[in-house]
Amino acid sequence: MSNFTLHELQCFDAVVSEGGFQAAAERLHRSHPSVFAAVAKLERQLGLTLLDRSGYRVRLTGTGQAFHRKVRLLLHEGEELRLYAAQLAMGEEAELRVVLGDLCPLPPVLALLGRFFAQHPQTRLHLQFETVTGPWERLLEDEADLIVHRLPRSDVRMEWVDLGRVALVPVVAPGFLPFPPDTDITPQRMQAFTQCIVRDSARHPSEQGHFLVEGAPRCSVPDHLMKKELILHGMAWGHLPRFMIESELRDGSLLSIAGQHFPGVVEELSAARLRDRPHGPVTDQLWDFLARHAPVLRPALGRMPRTKAAPARSSD
């Protein structure tokens, strides 16, 4: 069996994807006869019939289906290698795209980014802010090089560096409720009161809303800063990151209702990037920098307030 070429595999994959030789030739900017000859030579060298040509559209044979799965993997790795070579050839990136999520504690994270990019003045930081599942969408659609947000840990397309944990606390303003804001409040008792939520900035949201009380009136805001203001002014209630409301919880301008029915939650904050994408030298250096300095963030992330009815899950 002779060695087949990358060109022959590309022609075969294009025929399968496009459903015919002419369409494959147009996609590859080749002539119809050259694509036909390349696939025929591939089959001849392998001693396999990969395509069923008896119908109007060519189809994979059973053997062709099994072989095509391996071809797709090989071509994907070849494209990764090409991109990696391009990264090496161009040297340090001219721009690095970072997306911060709505759970990101801005002062410590921006301080770290400021320190890093001060040492890399030739690379411009392009910074975006997204909410809920928006950061994941930007990353997975290759519109970001790195994100700082909570992650769907089961998604094997991402790799991450742990930065700490963020406690989300259910809070109300004093006087917002006509009954004592204790730890035994049930969702049924909260149905009459407006709940404030952060809008998902993803074009195609991939999660249902969190902590939603069924049947309760809702208002939506673009970020947690506006959400905090609405809650402080007695216009709604909702969950806020503990690091944003430490002083308000201490001085009583916000009251926690964390308890058995609204336990709050502790989310894992991470820096994440695509696992199978080649990364430039500055991206790799930023990745290592965040991994080395991650403990700097942890004291800023907060923990659940302790209640008598429901001991908190520590975020330490």
Side-chain angles (χ1 to χ4, degrees):
M1 182 172 63
S2 302
N3 292 328
F4 47 78
T5 67
L6 184 61
H7 168 67
E8 290 162 2
L9 295 179
Q10 289 171 332
C11 289
F12 170 59
D13 177 62
V15 171
V16 174
S17 300
E18 302 298 327
F21 288 94
Q22 183 59 45
E26 292 173 0
R27 184 179 117 182
L28 296 173
H29 305 291
R30 304 268 182 176
S31 68
H32 180 287
S34 70
V35 173
F36 188 90
V39 175
K41 183 181 176 184
L42 178 64
E43 290 179 307
R44 206 165 47 247
Q45 291 179 125
L46 296 173
L48 299 173
T49 302
L50 302 174
L51 297 174
D52 179 356
R53 299 168 173 82
S54 62
Y56 174 72
R57 288 173 61 90
V58 295
R59 294 181 300 169
L60 286 167
T61 63
T63 301
Q65 286 180 343
F67 184 71
H68 185 245
R69 284 195 291 270
K70 295 288 188 180
V71 168
R72 292 293 299 272
L73 291 174
L74 180 60
L75 292 178
H76 179 69
E77 290 180 357
E79 178 62 16
E80 282 187 6
L81 186 60
R82 185 192 68 78
L83 289 172
Y84 185 64
Q87 292 274 18
L88 293 176
M90 72 182 182
E92 295 189 341
E93 301 95 311
E95 179 182 83
L96 204 154
R97 304 163 300 169
V98 175
V99 170
L100 304 181
D102 57 280
L103 295 183
C104 178
L106 294 179
V109 172
L110 291 177
L112 280 182
L113 292 176
R115 284 172 55 193
F116 178 82
F117 283 97
Q119 300 168 14
H120 298 82
Q122 72 287 347
T123 300
R124 184 173 70 89
L125 171 62
H126 180 74
L127 199 60
Q128 291 179 260
F129 181 82
E130 301 286 345
T131 59
V132 194
T133 65
W136 308 347
E137 187 178 76
R138 298 292 86 75
L139 185 64
L140 294 174
E141 295 190 1
D142 201 23
E143 297 174 19
D145 300 300
L146 183 141
I147 65 173
V148 179
H149 195 44
R150 64 184 177 89
L151 291 184
R153 295 298 178 100
S154 61
D155 194 326
V156 298
R157 294 172 292 179
M158 302 180 194
E159 60 179 342
W160 62 84
V161 170
D162 288 321
L163 300 180
R165 291 186 279 182
V166 177
L168 288 162
V169 186
V171 291
V172 298
F176 177 75
L177 299 175
F179 46 80
D182 56 36
T183 59
D184 295 322
I185 296 175
T186 64
Q188 289 75 21
R189 295 185 77 187
M190 296 299 289
Q191 279 184 330
F193 306 101
T194 300
Q195 183 177 8
C196 187
I197 60 172
V198 174
R199 289 191 293 273
D200 195 334
S201 64
R203 292 182 288 269
H204 307 288
S206 57
E207 280 192 339
Q208 299 294 323
H210 288 193
F211 319 122
L212 297 181
V213 173
E214 191 67 32
R218 294 173 195 158
C219 63
S220 64
V221 292
D223 55 48
H224 278 107
L225 287 173
M226 184 171 290
K227 183 176 181 179
K228 176 181 174 180
E229 289 301 315
L230 261 69
I231 295 174
L232 279 169
H233 285 83
M235 300 172 68
W237 74 277
H239 290 74
L240 287 170
R242 169 99 188 204
F243 64 80
M244 291 181 61
I245 57 173
E246 288 284 3
S247 62
E248 288 81 5
L249 288 172
R250 282 195 300 268
D251 66 24
S253 54
L254 284 177
L255 306 174
S256 169
I257 58 171
Q260 177 183 355
H261 303 287
F262 293 101
V265 69
V266 176
E267 296 279 11
E268 302 290 336
L269 187 76
S270 305
R273 65 183 184 179
L274 292 180
R275 188 183 299 276
D276 61 354
R277 184 182 186 276
H279 303 287
V282 178
T283 305
D284 280 337
Q285 290 173 48
L286 176 58
W287 188 256
D288 294 339
F289 180 84
L290 290 174
R292 291 196 310 272
H293 293 86
V296 173
L297 302 182
R298 289 178 186 142
L301 303 187
R303 58 187 176 187
M304 289 296 297
R306 297 187 179 277
T307 65
K308 293 180 181 178
R313 292 160 54 191
S314 173
S315 66
D316 292 337

